[in-house]
Structure formats: structure tokens, C-alpha cells
Amino acid sequence: GQNIDQPTEMTATEGAIVQINCTYQTSGFNGLFWYQQHAGEAPTFLSYNVLDGLEEKGRFSSFLSRSKGYSYLLLKELQMKDSASYLCAVIDSNYQLIWGAGTKLIIKP
Amino acid sequence: DTAVSQTPKYLVTQMGNDKSIKCEQNLGHDTMYWYKQDSKKFLKIMFSYNNKELIINETVPNRFSPKSPDKAHLNLHINSLELGDSAVYFCASSQTSGGTDTQYFGPGTRLTVL
């Protein structure tokens, strides 16, 4: 079966750094997305990785290791507005998007 | 300008009723999707259309019927609503159906079945 695992919830402090992990077992791999979803709102695109390594985009970075079936989203200089759910999604061999259940990130002052 | 729009934003109705949710995208994308997000926040794909043609039809009760009059619109009609249909329904679109394109989501429709 296809499976994507993320922690259900994480808590971090404003100004700190947090790493949200995602592991996947899918039939094939054609890329991995990270989306952000604020409560009551739609998911919005954060990053896309298809090659191994780190992609940096401002305060957010996303890392991929295809051999380990592993990705993480790194958020630096956390702000209160970063409180949201972060969804990991993998494109399988049929080019279908398989979604994780998301990690709810709580930022405390 | 709203890229992907849905109406209504909230829908409260009784069991057994029939309801529709409308979705429109002005991005010029070829592919549109319907997702269901339940109380556990799990996003589940229901349907995908590419240029008005159905390409993904997951295991969804046949009470749910999508209709795409043109590639900018994908509506969802639900017959005989049940309590378990209560969820947030998101419409999304992407440039192509290739799977590697970013999906842009509408604001969601919160459906509550009483």
C-alpha cells in the first residue's frame, strides 16, 4: 500500500527553528510537495523536490532523500503566523498525488 | 482576482437532500480536482478532470457526481446526503494532469449534514 507518515502535532517557540519530517512508502516516486494550510483555509504551495538535496526559499527549506524515502521541511525564525498544518504529498509512479495527514504546528510566544 | 473560487463557502442541510457545489478557475489550467477533507484533516482525492474529461475517479459513492461544462468549471452534485458526508470539500486546479504541477486550491466548502 501507499503510506505517508508525518507527526500529528509539533510545538515550537517564536524565533526558533523547527523541522517537520515526512517519510513515505509509495509505488514509485516522481516528486514531493509541501503545502501549508492555515485553520479554515485552503492548502497553499510551499515547495517541490524531485532531486536529492536541500531547496532553500527564504525562511523555509525542504530536503529530500529518495533512497531513504524521507523529506523534511525546515522553518527558521519562526513567526506566530507560521502556526498552521503542513502537508507532505508524494507523486507516485502513476503521477497521482498521495497526501499525508499533515502536521499541526503550534507556535508559542 | 480569485484564482480558484467555490460556492457556497458554507452549506448546512438535512440528511436525504441533494446539493451542489460549484467551482471555477481563471488560471487557464487544464486539470481540476475535487478533494474531501474530513475532521482528521486528511485530504482525499475524489475526482480529477482534464479538459472536461474524467481521469481520476476514486472509490466514491455514486451519490457524488462531478460535472465539467468546460475546462474552467468543475461542479460537484451530491444526492441523498448522509451524515458522513459532512466535511470540507476543496476544489483545485493545475496546469496539466501530469501530477508534477502545483495544485492551486479554492477556499473550500464546509458541508454540514444534520
Side-chain angles (χ1 to χ4, degrees):
Chain A
Q2 316 233 67
N3 198 44
I4 296 186
D5 287 314
Q6 304 178 235
T8 305
E9 188 174 295
M10 298 181 71
T11 303
T13 306
E14 194 176 13
I17 299 174
V18 72
Q19 177 175 311
I20 302 174
N21 295 326
C22 170
T23 57
Y24 60 89
Q25 301 91 40
T26 55
S27 57
F29 178 85
N30 282 296
L32 184 146
F33 286 98
W34 283 97
Y35 278 78
Q36 180 190 58
Q37 185 176 23
H38 284 101
E41 296 184 12
T44 55
F45 170 79
L46 285 179
S47 67
Y48 172 68
N49 294 67
V50 66
L51 299 176
D52 289 349
L54 188 68
E55 297 264 351
E56 298 189 67
K57 199 186 285 188
R59 294 188 299 113
F60 291 10
S61 303
S62 56
F63 171 83
L64 175 67
S65 168
R66 288 172 296 174
S67 62
K68 294 181 180 176
Y70 167 69
S71 173
Y72 67 72
L73 182 69
L74 191 70
L75 292 75
K76 300 177 186 176
E77 301 168 21
L78 284 169
Q79 302 175 9
M80 297 303 292
K81 67 178 182 179
D82 298 329
S83 291
S85 287
Y86 292 86
L87 308 173
C88 173
V90 172
I91 307 164
D92 71 7
S93 57
N94 293 320
Y95 289 93
Q96 291 203 27
L97 202 55
I98 312 298
W99 291 84
T103 299
K104 182 178 180 180
L105 178 63
I106 300 167
I107 309 296
K108 296 186 173 178
Chain B
D1 281 344
T2 304
V4 183
S5 59
Q6 293 178 230
T7 53
K9 192 166 171 64
Y10 298 96
L11 187 53
V12 181
T13 188
Q14 300 286 333
M15 268 197 321
N17 284 350
D18 303 338
K19 291 293 178 187
S20 291
I21 308 172
K22 295 186 177 181
C23 178
E24 177 181 0
Q25 54 95 5
N26 63 6
L27 297 167
H29 287 169
D30 287 343
T31 306
M32 295 184 74
Y33 310 82
W34 275 111
Y35 285 92
K36 179 181 180 181
Q37 189 172 44
D38 59 25
S39 57
K40 294 182 180 175
K41 306 301 181 189
F42 211 173
L43 262 178
K44 293 174 75 170
I45 182 75
M46 299 174 70
F47 303 102
S48 172
Y49 270 70
N50 187 59
N51 266 318
K52 303 193 300 175
E53 292 201 14
L54 182 67
I55 54 171
I56 293 176
N57 183 1
E58 292 298 312
T59 308
V60 174
N62 57 14
R63 298 182 294 104
F64 291 79
S65 52
K67 282 193 172 49
S68 182
D70 55 61
K71 75 173 193 177
H73 295 84
L74 181 61
N75 303 324
L76 184 65
H77 188 77
I78 316 170
N79 289 327
S80 303
L81 278 156
E82 300 179 356
L83 292 177
D85 298 333
S86 294
V88 180
Y89 292 83
F90 285 102
C91 175
S93 74
S94 62
Q95 186 67 59
T96 69
S97 60
T100 59
D101 292 333
T102 299
Q103 292 187 20
Y104 295 83
F105 285 79
T109 296
R110 183 173 294 276
L111 171 65
T112 304
V113 182
L114 303 175

